[in-house]
Amino acid sequence: DAQNQNTEEQLAEEIFGEFAISGSTDTFNLASGYRQCSYGQLNIDPTDDPKANYGVYTAALTNIGNMSMAELEPLALAAGNLEFCNLSSLFDFVMICLPPLPNDKDRVAYAWAGSYLSVYQDDACVWPSVQMHEVGHNLGLMHSGEGCAECEYDDMTGMMGSSHTYDDGPLKCFNNPKTWQLGWFSDRHATATPLSLEWSGRLVGSAEYLSAAGDDVIVLKVEGHSEDFYVGLNRQIGINAGTEEAGDKVTIQRRDVGDGYSLSWLEAKLTTGGTYIIENFGGSNTDVTIEVSSIDIASVPGVAHVRVYANNHLSPVPTPPNITTVIPSPTPSTVSSPTPSTV
């Protein structure tokens, strides 16, 4: 009694593009986005099972018009499992594209973290930033926030902030902690422990990964505090040309220690000469400064020169000197009568 407004072929083109539809003109979608951002390390392709048309299978369900997304999810899964035996064992990712639901119209999409499953309502299934965001949850990524505690979608440098209803954009990848967590550029990760040793080096953007050389770093992790801090150059070019915040600036995010499912928070967007100070780093009575010496985006790759160093800013408690005090015999003092104060 309701159906997704996109045909199987339209869904296939908007999700897989040329990897499902020969000659497709869809320039940005789930498949192309992850291929580009990972440099071919994560390729999402349609199944070649003949029961699925271009990788899309339609399940016929009845009496669903008044249901919610959460109520429809198990019904759709049951229909898929009946046809394919076991979706979770056959496929790395499964997207359920539901029809418009008038009783659940405020919910667009959701996904199960660390799982294979994401669920979308109507056209949300064809918006690439929604696709990449929800599959990001499947990959273990949580939201990217900035500012207030309720602003967990407000870091717009990458895909785990707010999503959009655009058909072919925005063209961007992931912020520093998410990029580290995904591990695609682990050969260009670096770690700074500033209480032990000052760090200085060159940061380049993931969009220019193939041009990086020598000791160039994509993401720097600063550790030793109650949270980890991640530093990178948000190069606004190529696969990251559509980043919506802090383009060509050095960005700093913080998140819980480790690589588990955790919110990240955008803390700083620095240009040349900018600094960010982490006070009382690791409870050490020492500040740590992240300093951007220069940014050059005219070069290939664009480069930010960054230092991370400790600076003891708090005065230590002084040790009293050894002083011999001679106390003379008391002399009687003259006490005058008090003068009243005027209030």
Side-chain angles (χ1 to χ4, degrees):
D1 53 3
Q3 63 182 23
N4 192 285
Q5 298 182 61
N6 300 278
T7 67
E8 289 181 344
E9 186 170 350
Q10 287 171 330
L11 286 171
E13 183 165 22
E14 296 292 347
I15 295 169
F16 302 112
E18 64 179 335
F19 305 105
I21 307 296
S22 178
S24 169
T25 58
D26 190 84
T27 58
F28 187 57
N29 48 66
L30 176 71
S32 68
Y34 272 104
R35 249 183 182 83
Q36 292 168 5
C37 289
S38 70
Y39 288 83
Q41 296 177 73
L42 178 54
N43 300 328
I44 301 176
D45 295 318
T47 178
D48 57 6
D49 191 304
K51 293 189 288 292
N53 188 26
Y54 306 105
V56 179
Y57 171 74
T58 299
L61 304 174
T62 58
N63 301 318
I64 64 172
N66 294 321
M67 291 187 178
S68 66
M69 294 177 70
E71 290 170 328
L72 269 173
E73 177 197 321
L75 300 180
L77 279 179
N81 285 325
L82 184 64
E83 188 67 36
F84 294 94
C85 294
N86 191 329
L87 294 171
S88 63
S89 64
L90 286 175
F91 307 116
D92 296 307
F93 303 104
V94 171
M95 301 170 64
I96 298 178
C97 300
L98 297 172
L101 302 170
N103 289 344
D104 202 10
K105 60 184 179 181
D106 293 332
R107 197 172 195 185
V108 174
Y110 64 87
W112 295 99
S115 175
Y116 69 104
L117 184 65
S118 54
V119 185
Y120 309 78
Q121 183 172 176
D122 202 37
D123 276 343
C125 216
V126 304
W127 297 329
S129 67
V130 178
Q131 297 166 355
M132 291 189 68
H133 180 106
E134 300 306 334
V135 171
H137 287 312
N138 292 155
L139 294 169
L141 308 180
M142 203 174 175
H143 294 142
S144 300
E146 179 184 8
C148 66
E150 296 78 25
C151 305
E152 65 178 74
Y153 293 90
D154 283 14
D155 177 355
M156 299 301 291
T157 60
M159 282 295 186
M160 297 312 291
S162 294
S163 300
H164 296 290
T165 60
Y166 309 154
D167 179 57
D168 284 311
L171 190 64
K172 59 181 180 177
C173 293
F174 297 93
N175 72 7
N176 299 320
K178 270 57 173 180
T179 296
W180 180 287
Q181 188 176 345
L182 289 164
W184 294 332
F185 314 109
S186 58
D187 60 321
R188 296 207 174 274
H189 287 177
T191 301
T193 52
L195 294 182
S196 303
L197 184 69
E198 176 178 325
W199 186 92
S200 64
R202 291 164 39 112
L203 300 182
V204 301
S206 62
E208 295 185 301
Y209 171 63
L210 296 181
S211 299
D215 294 328
D216 289 347
V217 171
I218 299 289
V219 183
L220 172 68
K221 179 168 73 167
V222 181
E223 61 182 21
H225 195 58
S226 56
E227 295 177 295
D228 288 334
F229 290 79
Y230 294 80
V231 189
L233 175 61
N234 187 33
R235 189 73 174 92
Q236 191 168 14
I237 194 172
I239 61 174
N240 200 49
T243 185
E244 298 170 275
E245 185 174 9
D248 293 327
K249 295 181 181 180
V250 170
T251 56
I252 302 171
Q253 286 94 357
R254 60 176 172 86
R255 57 148 288 159
D256 290 344
V257 172
D259 292 329
Y261 193 64
S262 171
L263 284 167
S264 65
W265 296 96
L266 178 59
E267 291 293 310
K269 298 166 277 190
L270 304 180
T271 56
T272 295
T275 59
Y276 176 75
I277 297 174
I278 309 168
E279 296 183 348
N280 192 22
F281 190 85
S284 64
N285 200 40
T286 300
D287 284 352
V288 162
T289 298
I290 302 171
E291 176 184 292
V292 179
S293 303
S294 65
I295 297 176
D296 178 10
I297 60 170
S299 64
V300 179
V303 174
H305 291 88
V306 172
R307 294 176 60 214
V308 182
Y309 54 91
N311 178 27
N312 192 339
H313 78 296
L314 296 176
S315 299
V317 178
T319 301
N322 293 321
I323 300 175
T324 301
T325 304
V326 178
I327 303 175
S329 300
T331 302
S333 61
T334 303
V335 178
S336 60
S337 300
T339 302
S341 60
T342 303
V343 178

